[in-house]
Amino acid sequence: MAKKPLLEQWNATHSADLYGINSWGSGYFGVSENGDVVITPFAENGPAVSIPDVIKGLQDRGMDLPVLLRVENILDAQITVLHDCFRAAIREFGYQGEFRGVFPIKVNQQEQVVEKIAQYGQRHHHGLEVGSKAELIAALSYLNDHEACIVCNGYKDAEFVDLALYGTKMGYKCILVLEMPSELPLILARSKVLGVRPLIGVRIKLSSRAGGHWTESGGDLSIFGLSTAEVVDALDLLRKEDMLDCMRLLHFHLGSQIPNIRDIREALREACRVYAGLVDEGAAMGYLDLGGGLAVDYDGSHTNFLSSRNYTLSEYCADIVETVMSILDEREIAHPHIITESGRATVAYYSVLLFNILDASRLEDRALPVDLPEDCPEPTENLLEVYNSISLKNLQECYNDAIYYRDEIRQMFRLGNCTLRERGVAETIFWAIIKEIAQRVDEVKRPTVELAGIQDSLASIYYANMSVFQSLPDSWAIDHLFPVMPVHRLKEQPTEKVVLADITCDCDGKLDRFIDPRGVKRTLDLHELKNGDPYYLGAFLVGAYQETLGDLHNLFGDTNVASIHINEDGSFDFVRELDGDSVADVLSYVEYDPKMVLERFRNVAEQGVREGRISPQDRYSIMKAFENGLRGYTYLNGLR
Ligand SMILES: *Cc1c(COP(=O)(O)O)cnc(C)c1O
């Protein structure tokens, strides 16, 4: 690849700029002077923990990569900053209600996550949002705070309703949100049977819609929520039952990762009108729930691009408080408590996937033939001519010609008119041309799209010890972008343009789209692998949605998980470790019985002994390797 002359020595600051870590890291991540990625959970003047030190600590304890690292302090800090920002806005505008955040369990249901959210959230009365019986059961047993809300969304049956009503009876603020009209008669019937006054909410379909990847949840055609007419029916039923005092909450959810704050404001305006209408109808109300949607700036561009957001958290909070106030004050309606169900923004930052690179494959520099044999195919001669005529003025022309003659050679080969060896020579010349063009393309003022993309076609492939399907499913499924970068060697200039391939045998198992302040990059700048030295990368901001959506493609299982807690003196503790799936685990998920697997193989081995193909000692070694394999990690133990 073209190496530009260095005007000044490359240093860690250049790397920080190149990877944009100070833009997307939200202050939690940075690059140290000696070139490591560091974790800085206590803002500017606090301690910095080096990720390579954490990796060393894990490896010393026998934990192999890939590892999903959770930094508990970051979760604590994110919950706190959400509440602080809302509190600041509430104070600034003189808002009369309070902020009551809830965490939607579906965004990360892992036990350690929910446990820590309940713990760190307690001082802010941060609650939980659930969408199923399983999530409600988890919420009831982990949330020990009667001031915090448990918002019950999702479709409900009698069992779900009963559990929530028991929750209310025990003193929880368990709010049953109507997703379908038929849920109301069910709730009324069950609450009579159980003798509990229910807390009821209603989810509405707004006509407003937001832009973004995950915003199908909004709009008239949204599958969730009640239409205006259905809301009125529900109110009539409650009035008839003399239970309008039980209607307490209005809920809407526009979708996740809403990049544009205008969409949020528009929807909220509409929702506030509905809220006022509910109060007019005599409903008690008191809570306005804006759902999720608070976006994460994954690419650090601070724009309305899909993987970004064009607002800060403070702006989000101020906008919400101000909008609610302005509409309800006009109608002299008391300010409700504001609930948001921010999932992504709460947990994305706190997990990092750490993985090593196993190997690289790159286009080698091959020597060009000095002179071609007399009888060589014509396109080969033409290619060599093209190669010898490259100049800055004719790059595009040379590119077109090279492609043309390369295709001609391929066609000849298909028809049996040139040999394997002849085709090899032609392709060597072809790639030499492409490389030569790529080295000069930076000097072209306005390169065509083809020329501009030529360096990408020369990208090296680095093999990453992880599965995109297991650990970054959104990257595969919907082209979501996560910041990915090396976690060490950042004092050195990265010289390779790289596409990452994972270790599944699927051609979709790769990362070839990377964050860039100007859009999307097709290659990632990485360092050359040094003989045998380990090379570690991190995929950042992966705490939301990735874990349970991940799947067992090629039977690569859950990764190891480690949680650390950073102390104010800069030391850190490994507070929790979870072993990832073993081979036996993943086999059992797809209905193999590991004992049977072992027994079948033992029979095969014994048959080998019987037939004299292996000795009993061979059988012993073979069985040992097989058993170790079954017990072992599903990922590779490559360079360490
Ligand atoms: C998924 C979901 C959320 C979480 O949204 P984020 O954008 O991750 O904050 C909140 N509320 C409901 C109803 C959801 O379905």
Side-chain angles (χ1 to χ4, degrees):
M1 204 77 347
K3 286 195 183 102
K4 285 194 201 131
L6 298 180
L7 290 177
E8 52 178 325
Q9 193 63 38
W10 187 269
N11 63 33
T13 310
H14 296 118
S15 288
D17 291 345
L18 173 65
Y19 297 109
I21 191 168
N22 296 327
S23 307
W24 53 255
S26 199
Y28 296 127
F29 303 101
V31 176
S32 70
E33 262 173 41
N34 62 357
D36 290 346
V37 173
V38 290
I39 312 168
T40 50
F42 305 110
E44 265 158 41
N45 298 318
V49 165
S50 134
I51 289 188
D53 286 352
V54 175
I55 293 176
K56 174 154 192 320
L58 291 168
Q59 291 180 335
D60 289 347
R61 288 163 176 78
M63 189 178 266
D64 289 321
L65 297 187
V67 169
L68 185 73
L69 177 70
R70 299 193 210 280
V71 184
E72 292 190 346
N73 314 66
I74 295 182
L75 181 60
D76 191 1
Q78 276 299 94
I79 294 176
T80 301
V81 79
L82 181 66
H83 283 268
D84 285 351
C85 281
F86 265 110
R87 258 187 234 126
I90 283 171
R91 216 176 308 118
E92 184 189 337
F93 293 102
Y95 189 82
Q96 299 301 311
E98 288 174 17
F99 173 65
R100 285 278 187 273
V102 295
F103 174 72
I105 292 187
K106 79 152 194 276
V107 180
N108 194 326
Q109 306 97 331
Q110 300 292 318
E111 191 263 349
Q112 321 113 288
V113 179
V114 173
E115 185 211 336
K116 286 293 158 190
I117 287 176
Q119 179 192 328
Y120 296 138
Q122 189 148 19
R123 68 184 110 98
H124 311 289
H125 302 306
H126 201 78
L128 294 168
E129 184 265 358
V130 303
S132 66
K133 281 183 272 190
E135 291 181 357
L136 175 57
I137 283 171
L140 286 170
S141 69
Y142 277 78
L143 194 73
N144 200 357
D145 178 355
H146 290 170
E147 285 301 304
C149 297
I150 298 180
V151 176
C152 302
N153 293 322
Y155 301 125
K156 297 165 200 73
D157 61 5
E159 218 172 77
F160 191 154
V161 170
D162 282 7
L163 269 173
L165 291 171
Y166 283 132
T168 306
K169 198 169 194 169
M170 287 160 62
Y172 284 107
K173 284 202 169 50
C174 230
I175 304 170
L176 281 160
V177 178
L178 305 177
E179 298 263 9
M180 282 193 296
S182 60
E183 288 171 357
L184 184 57
L186 177 66
I187 293 169
L188 297 184
R190 295 311 304 166
S191 56
K192 272 189 197 122
V193 172
L194 301 185
V196 184
R197 286 302 270 187
L199 299 170
I200 300 174
V202 59
R203 177 170 185 168
I204 46 157
K205 275 187 186 149
L206 292 179
S207 52
S208 318
R209 284 195 65 164
H213 261 318
W214 291 277
T215 48
E216 293 295 307
S217 323
D220 284 331
L221 288 180
S222 139
I223 55 175
F224 300 106
L226 274 59
S227 67
T228 321
E230 288 166 339
V231 172
V232 173
D233 288 346
L235 287 168
D236 287 343
L237 180 56
L238 284 169
R239 187 176 295 112
K240 194 170 124 242
E241 299 285 328
D242 201 16
M243 289 176 79
L244 277 171
D245 61 309
C246 296
M247 175 56 81
R248 303 297 303 277
L249 174 145
L250 175 68
H251 173 229
F252 70 94
H253 173 65
L254 275 184
S256 197
Q257 183 70 14
I258 299 173
N260 193 340
I261 195 157
R262 273 221 324 265
D263 293 335
I264 298 172
R265 215 181 303 133
E266 281 311 302
L268 180 57
R269 284 217 180 90
E270 187 184 348
C272 286
R273 298 288 171 200
V274 178
Y275 186 91
L278 287 163
V279 172
D280 288 344
E281 291 279 337
M285 302 311 289
Y287 293 92
L288 178 59
D289 180 349
L290 284 75
L294 174 57
V296 166
D297 194 1
Y298 289 96
D299 65 17
S301 67
H302 198 73
T303 60
N304 61 1
F305 190 58
L306 288 180
S307 48
S308 186
R309 64 177 191 203
N310 67 359
Y311 50 93
T312 64
L313 181 55
S314 298
E315 284 161 358
Y316 174 79
C317 298
D319 253 41
I320 289 173
V321 170
E322 198 185 2
T323 304
V324 176
M325 258 178 99
S326 68
I327 293 179
L328 296 188
D329 281 355
E330 197 183 292
R331 299 285 327 279
E332 294 182 6
I333 289 171
H335 300 162
H337 295 318
I338 292 172
I339 296 177
T340 66
E341 303 174 346
S342 298
R344 182 184 298 281
T346 307
V347 291
Y349 291 95
Y350 112 105
S351 304
V352 184
L353 179 75
L354 298 171
F355 56 94
N356 53 315
I357 296 298
L358 296 162
D359 205 349
S361 91
R362 47 198 297 222
L363 206 62
E364 308 154 62
D365 284 313
R366 285 176 178 276
L368 286 188
V370 187
D371 45 18
L372 297 168
E374 293 267 300
D375 58 346
C376 94
E378 207 182 307
T380 311
E381 277 175 27
N382 295 338
L383 279 169
L384 196 60
E385 233 165 75
V386 172
Y387 178 77
N388 289 325
S389 70
I390 297 175
S391 79
L392 198 53
K393 290 212 177 64
N394 64 2
L395 287 188
Q396 179 70 46
E397 195 186 325
C398 289
Y399 177 78
N400 297 344
D401 290 350
I403 298 278
Y404 180 80
Y405 296 127
R406 193 261 326 253
D407 290 348
E408 263 195 352
I409 273 286
R410 285 184 176 174
Q411 181 63 8
M412 284 177 73
F413 183 73
R414 269 193 290 270
L415 297 173
N417 296 334
C418 87
T419 66
L420 190 64
R421 195 167 282 275
E422 283 167 341
R423 177 173 165 178
V425 171
E427 289 190 349
T428 301
I429 305 172
F430 170 79
W431 283 110
I433 297 170
I434 297 296
K435 270 194 179 174
E436 195 57 38
I437 297 176
Q439 290 199 0
R440 300 191 184 191
V441 84
D442 283 343
E443 297 164 51
V444 177
K445 280 228 180 61
R446 257 175 254 99
T448 60
V449 177
E450 266 173 336
L451 281 191
I454 200 168
Q455 290 178 338
D456 295 340
S457 69
L458 292 170
S460 302
I461 300 170
Y462 277 28
Y463 297 92
N465 192 17
M466 58 116 168
S467 158
V468 167
F469 305 92
Q470 177 62 253
S471 294
L472 304 171
D474 279 344
S475 149
W476 160 68
I478 52 169
D479 286 340
H480 183 52
L481 298 173
F482 296 98
V484 176
M485 68 179 287
V487 297
H488 60 156
R489 293 182 60 186
L490 296 168
K491 274 195 329 195
E492 299 167 43
Q493 180 168 18
T495 52
E496 299 286 296
K497 302 268 180 215
V498 173
V499 167
L500 291 173
D502 75 3
I503 52 172
T504 66
C505 306
D506 190 313
C507 54
D508 278 345
K510 63 178 180 197
L511 296 177
D512 60 359
R513 298 171 75 255
F514 301 94
I515 61 160
D516 184 74
R518 287 170 302 278
V520 178
K521 278 199 292 203
R522 307 306 303 217
T523 58
L524 183 64
D525 295 278
L526 291 181
H527 302 90
E528 232 173 303
L529 298 185
K530 280 192 215 144
N531 270 342
D533 283 358
Y535 189 51
Y536 301 122
L537 304 190
F540 290 80
L541 317 195
V542 298
Y545 296 106
Q546 303 313 297
E547 287 174 57
T548 22
L549 284 179
D551 72 20
L552 289 175
H553 206 32
N554 273 127
L555 296 185
F556 290 105
D558 275 345
T559 64
N560 293 323
V561 181
S563 296
I564 59 167
H565 189 91
I566 298 175
N567 306 307
E568 306 227 354
D569 65 1
S571 62
F572 61 92
D573 301 316
F574 290 100
V575 283
R576 281 195 74 166
E577 285 160 44
L578 282 177
D579 287 330
D581 289 324
S582 67
V583 170
D585 289 336
V586 296
L587 285 175
S588 67
Y589 298 155
V590 284
E591 312 299 334
Y592 293 86
D593 175 351
K595 279 206 194 98
M596 281 297 296
V597 168
L598 191 62
E599 184 170 324
R600 278 165 170 268
F601 189 72
R602 192 184 294 121
N603 291 339
V604 174
E606 185 52 29
Q607 196 178 344
V609 175
R610 230 179 289 129
E611 293 168 1
R613 265 177 284 115
I614 56 172
S615 70
Q617 289 83 352
D618 289 339
R619 193 198 106 160
Y620 176 75
S621 312
I622 291 169
M623 288 309 298
K624 251 205 141 58
F626 193 82
E627 282 172 54
N628 284 341
L630 262 183
R631 262 197 305 273
Y633 201 17
T634 57
Y635 295 88
L636 304 186
N637 307 314
L639 308 167
R640 278 245 337 229

